[in-house]
Amino acid sequence: MMGGMASEQTRTTTSTSTTSIRPAEPGEPPTASTRAWTTRLLVLGIVLSALNLRPAITSLGALLEEVRDGLGMSGSLAGVLTSVPPLCFALFGVMAPRLARRFGPGAVVCGGMVAIAAGLLLRPYAGSTAGFLAASALALMGIAVSNILMPVIVKRWFPDRVGSMTGLYSMALALGTASAAAVTVPMTEVMGGSWQTGLAVWAGLAAAAVLPWIPFVRQRGAGPADPAAARQGHARVGQPALRITRSRTAWALAVFFGLQATAAYITMGWMAQIFRDAGVPASTAGLLLAVTMVMGVPLAFVIPRLATRLPHQGPIAIALGVCGLAGYAGLYFAPAAGAWAWALLLGVSNCSFPLALTMVGMRARTGAGVAQLSAFAQSTGYLLSIPGPLLVGVLYQHSGGWGLPIALMTALMIPQMLVGVLAGRNRTVEDEAAR
């Protein structure tokens, strides 16, 4: 694998070496040291940003029972709370391409990290459910625009390393997700047992992610400073936007994204509670959730690289779905006895997210196409995923157990596998939208 990555890096030396913070003036090529420094800074920014795209959610999942007690929430209202992330991603994510065209993607991601830090710092001390939701929405707005723009940044700055850079980004995202799930409860206990402190501490990680993007704030352009690439990028700006809704692949990818997001947010919001209700201690339940999330660290690097080498990504979608079905069956029949096995299986299944991100980069030929497809697939997908966590909360409260919620999760996995096959076909949205 390392040899393959080295060869990929060799093939793309010219592409990545042309990156700089500002476009070179005519007759003034960027120096090698500037190019290398800029590339490293950009990679650092991508990694730190990815680390911050899920702790706002998984830290809350680990302390959901304490938050419910502290704010006086019912099970149904807690279900609404777990539905807020996909709602915000759908509403705010659609703004990302427009903001990126006006301010530049670096500035938008920088602003997104500021919003995450502010929201995470404010929400534990809001004092009411409404204030908690409002501050959460602020953090999730920052996550939403960064979610949309990460595939765009990867495609434009690293056009020949989409697989490896998507893998690096996805791996960092999974690491941040798992870390928040694993350490939030023990860290809260060390800091005095206050759930407010346990949630607020994650604002520091978001604040650190602001720093690498500051040099990119004034750069409006989104691509490399290579003159040929710049001319190509300017030519694309004048082209009309794709009629993305005419593409069957775009719709298949949007539905796949929505169904995998539904499974992921149900898992992040409720899996720890499922284990706790089965008699597993709170700290162990948090570790089980962390195991589920940490499975994405190695697999999020392997899956995108494997996906880019296959003509059809459908078999990967099917394999991940089968793991999900096995994990749900285990949660239904023996949630406590086989807890670690079910956590591992669901962790593998949740790697549908890096697969979806990789297919976004592969199903469009141009940076502009990736931007439109990313916004459409993620915004539409997150909109479709909103009812899932809410329904789980309602079914849990009114049935008094986890049988019906787990049956719902199982039923949704079947269409996820089917649309994953459709989205994995070797086609581009530019060809389909032009028909």
Side-chain angles (χ1 to χ4, degrees):
M1 184 174 69
M2 293 303 296
M5 186 172 182
S7 63
E8 186 177 14
Q9 290 173 336
T10 301
R11 291 195 304 269
T12 59
T13 299
T14 303
S15 171
T16 56
S17 66
T18 56
T19 307
S20 70
I21 292 181
R22 62 175 178 83
E25 298 294 334
E28 181 198 355
T31 65
S33 61
T34 300
R35 291 194 298 263
W37 176 80
T38 303
T39 300
R40 294 189 189 101
L41 189 63
L42 186 61
V43 171
L44 177 63
I46 290 172
V47 170
L48 285 176
S49 297
L51 286 171
N52 280 280
L53 295 183
R54 293 299 179 269
I57 302 165
T58 52
S59 62
L60 176 60
L63 292 172
L64 184 59
E65 186 170 312
E66 288 75 12
V67 174
R68 285 174 57 189
D69 293 340
L71 297 177
M73 291 184 187
S74 65
S76 297
L77 189 55
V80 172
L81 184 61
T82 57
S83 294
V84 168
L87 174 61
C88 290
F89 293 167
L91 293 178
F92 298 126
V94 73
M95 301 161 47
R98 183 179 303 174
L99 292 172
R101 285 194 297 270
R102 181 171 181 179
F103 302 106
V108 177
V109 173
C110 185
M113 295 301 111
V114 172
I116 295 170
L120 293 183
L121 185 62
L122 292 173
R123 75 173 179 176
Y125 306 105
S128 66
T129 300
F132 190 94
L133 289 172
S136 295
L138 175 62
L140 294 166
M141 177 177 65
I143 295 173
V145 294
S146 302
N147 263 336
I148 297 296
L149 292 180
M150 282 298 157
V152 178
I153 289 171
V154 167
K155 180 76 170 183
R156 293 187 179 182
W157 263 296
F158 304 96
D160 297 324
R161 286 198 285 170
V162 171
S164 59
M165 289 304 299
T166 301
L168 179 64
Y169 154 69
S170 301
M171 189 167 60
L173 189 150
L175 181 61
T177 305
S179 298
V183 307
T184 296
V185 171
M187 186 168 56
T188 300
E189 294 173 352
V190 168
M191 292 187 297
S194 169
W195 62 266
Q196 288 94 339
T197 305
L199 292 182
V201 71
W202 293 103
L205 182 62
V210 174
L211 302 178
W213 293 104
I214 292 176
F216 296 90
V217 166
R218 299 185 63 183
Q219 181 185 350
R220 298 292 179 92
D226 175 61
R231 287 193 298 271
Q232 187 181 20
H234 290 311
R236 288 172 188 158
V237 172
Q239 293 178 353
L242 291 172
R243 289 176 288 184
I244 198 76
T245 55
R246 297 184 60 179
S247 168
R248 293 182 179 179
T249 297
W251 278 107
L253 190 51
V255 176
F256 179 74
F257 207 102
L259 291 173
Q260 68 81 27
T262 300
Y265 287 110
I266 290 173
T267 299
M268 286 186 281
W270 289 107
M271 196 179 82
Q273 192 64 48
I274 293 174
F275 286 128
R276 290 178 72 168
D277 287 350
V280 176
S283 58
T284 304
L287 285 175
L288 287 165
L289 178 59
V291 166
T292 299
M293 300 298 111
V294 84
M295 287 300 297
V297 176
L299 292 179
F301 186 77
V302 173
I303 288 175
R305 290 177 57 79
L306 176 62
T308 56
R309 296 179 180 182
L310 295 178
H312 196 308
Q313 291 75 46
I316 303 178
I318 292 174
L320 297 177
V322 169
C323 290
L325 293 175
Y328 291 144
L331 285 181
Y332 184 85
F333 290 107
W340 295 101
W342 319 142
L344 288 170
L345 286 168
L346 291 173
V348 175
S349 180
N350 276 350
C351 288
S352 296
F353 176 72
L355 175 63
L357 286 180
T358 306
M359 288 195 290
V360 167
M362 296 178 68
R363 298 287 88 88
R365 289 195 302 268
T366 65
V370 171
Q372 275 193 263
L373 179 58
S374 181
F376 176 75
Q378 294 200 48
S379 296
T380 304
Y382 284 127
L383 189 64
L384 293 174
S385 72
I386 292 170
L390 176 60
L391 282 175
V392 167
V394 172
L395 290 174
Y396 171 56
Q397 179 170 341
H398 291 283
S399 69
W402 287 104
L404 286 178
I406 292 173
L408 173 65
M409 301 177 212
T410 304
L412 291 176
M413 188 58 68
I414 305 299
Q416 177 181 321
M417 296 163 67
L418 295 177
V419 293
V421 172
L422 295 177
R425 295 175 297 176
N426 188 17
R427 302 181 180 186
T428 63
V429 294
E430 286 91 349
D431 292 336
E432 293 182 342
R435 293 174 185 171

